[in-house]
Amino acid sequence: MKRKSILNILFFCLGFSFLFVFASCSNEIEIKQTNHGTYLKYKILAGNAFTKTITSITGEEESQIFNSKDITKMFEQTGLEEVKVVTVENNGFICSAKLSQDKSDMISKSGIVYDEPKKLAIALSQPRLTDLYENLSSELANYIDLFMAPSFTGETMTNDEYLDLLSSVYGEELTQELKKAKVKVSLVTLEGTSKKFSVDLINLLNLTGTFIME
């Protein structure tokens, strides 16, 4: 597999599967109910430290670090429908997709998204994320393993302990970028009600209890 494809998979696993990514610039998710189904939109602009790490590996500093075709394929493999991916600048992408009508896509099956006619919510917990992890292909699961997130491994540790672990493997600059990162989430119901949330990324990577956005 080409190195860039590996990196795209890493971003996919960390980003879309609600483990998110090491991205301090922009990390946004919108889930919107419509008369034609429930759609999600995911936008990421990678932070400077992560971008530098990638370009140092690929040796292609001026190129787009994401490949839209590769990312589209990976999202489609989860069972999502109407997947569209466009790259942004040289360090980001926007993906839009539709949750499957029969709830057979990976996100719906995990129970992370509660999508009913009169209610829309996101519920994150170690058991739900572990279930999501266990239903990934072995290849994708192996890449998630690289980041050792307690939310997926089921381990118990403090945020500082997890950050120290990451720092020992990936360096202090990348870890500090993660520490500052936030995730913006928007939920739009069929009636048009919109609710917005901003969450520290570290608290999603190292979940305790159940975190609900509704």
Side-chain angles (χ1 to χ4, degrees), residues 102-161:
D102 61 0
K103 300 186 183 299
S104 62
D105 63 271
M106 186 174 66
I107 300 301
S108 297
K109 287 170 65 176
S110 69
I112 288 173
V113 176
Y114 188 88
D115 177 27
E116 298 295 337
K118 295 186 178 181
K119 185 173 182 180
L120 180 63
I122 293 174
L124 301 174
S125 65
Q126 276 194 348
R128 284 186 173 92
L129 290 176
T130 299
D131 180 68
L132 180 69
Y133 170 82
E134 290 176 349
N135 284 286
L136 292 174
S137 67
S138 59
E139 183 180 52
L140 294 178
N142 287 338
Y143 287 119
I144 284 184
D145 291 341
L146 294 175
F147 291 89
M148 305 164 289
S151 294
F152 279 85
T153 64
E155 296 180 72
T156 300
M157 62 179 72
T158 67
N159 284 351
D160 286 340
E161 288 172 336

Side-chain angles (χ1 to χ4, degrees), residues 34-49:
T34 75
N35 290 324
H36 305 289
T38 298
Y39 290 80
L40 62 87
K41 184 177 181 180
Y42 176 59
K43 177 182 178 181
I44 170 180
L45 288 176
N48 291 332

Side-chain angles (χ1 to χ4, degrees), residues 8 55-56 71-72 82-84 88 91 95 101 110 113 119 122 137 157 179 182 186 191 194 203 214:
N8 284 333
T55 54
S56 68
I71 297 170
T72 298
E82 301 178 21
V83 178
K84 296 179 182 178
V88 179
N91 64 332
C95 175
Q101 294 282 56
S110 69
V113 176
K119 185 173 182 180
I122 293 174
S137 67
M157 62 179 72
K179 188 176 180 179
K182 292 183 180 294
S186 297
E191 291 78 17
S194 179
N203 292 331
E214 61 179 347

Side-chain angles (χ1 to χ4, degrees), residues 2-203:
K2 293 181 179 179
R3 184 63 59 87
K4 276 196 174 184
S5 295
I6 292 174
L7 293 168
N8 284 333
I9 290 174
L10 282 172
F11 272 107
F12 166 74
C13 293
L14 295 171
F16 183 67
S17 300
F18 290 91
L19 181 56
F20 305 100
V21 295
F22 296 103
S24 60
C25 295
S26 179
N27 201 354
E28 303 172 10
I29 292 176
E30 179 189 76
I31 300 178
K32 183 177 182 179
Q33 292 177 323
T34 75
N35 290 324
H36 305 289
T38 298
Y39 290 80
L40 62 87
K41 184 177 181 180
Y42 176 59
K43 177 182 178 181
I44 170 180
L45 288 176
N48 291 332
F50 206 86
T51 300
K52 285 194 295 184
T53 300
I54 291 174
T55 54
S56 68
I57 292 173
T58 62
E60 300 180 36
E61 296 185 3
E62 301 300 324
S63 65
Q64 167 61 243
I65 64 174
F66 295 105
N67 183 296
S68 59
K69 290 184 179 179
D70 288 345
I71 297 170
T72 298
K73 182 178 180 181
M74 286 185 286
F75 275 92
E76 288 175 339
Q77 288 175 342
T78 69
L80 292 170
E81 303 171 354
E82 301 178 21
V83 178
K84 296 179 182 178
V85 176
V86 295
T87 54
V88 179
E89 300 178 13
N90 72 331
N91 64 332
F93 70 86
I94 299 173
C95 175
S96 60
K98 179 183 177 183
L99 298 183
S100 59
Q101 294 282 56
D102 61 0
K103 300 186 183 299
S104 62
D105 63 271
M106 186 174 66
I107 300 301
S108 297
K109 287 170 65 176
S110 69
I112 288 173
V113 176
Y114 188 88
D115 177 27
E116 298 295 337
K118 295 186 178 181
K119 185 173 182 180
L120 180 63
I122 293 174
L124 301 174
S125 65
Q126 276 194 348
R128 284 186 173 92
L129 290 176
T130 299
D131 180 68
L132 180 69
Y133 170 82
E134 290 176 349
N135 284 286
L136 292 174
S137 67
S138 59
E139 183 180 52
L140 294 178
N142 287 338
Y143 287 119
I144 284 184
D145 291 341
L146 294 175
F147 291 89
M148 305 164 289
S151 294
F152 279 85
T153 64
E155 296 180 72
T156 300
M157 62 179 72
T158 67
N159 284 351
D160 286 340
E161 288 172 336
Y162 178 54
L163 289 168
D164 286 343
L165 175 62
L166 288 174
S167 181
S168 68
V169 177
Y170 298 108
E172 184 65 20
E173 184 179 7
L174 199 62
T175 303
Q176 286 302 313
E177 191 165 88
L178 162 64
K179 188 176 180 179
K180 297 175 183 177
K182 292 183 180 294
V183 179
K184 295 180 180 179
V185 179
S186 297
L187 300 177
V188 184
T189 66
L190 187 61
E191 291 78 17
T193 301
S194 179
K195 294 186 178 180
K196 298 181 182 298
F197 307 85
S198 181
V199 188
D200 290 338
L201 175 58
I202 185 63
N203 292 331

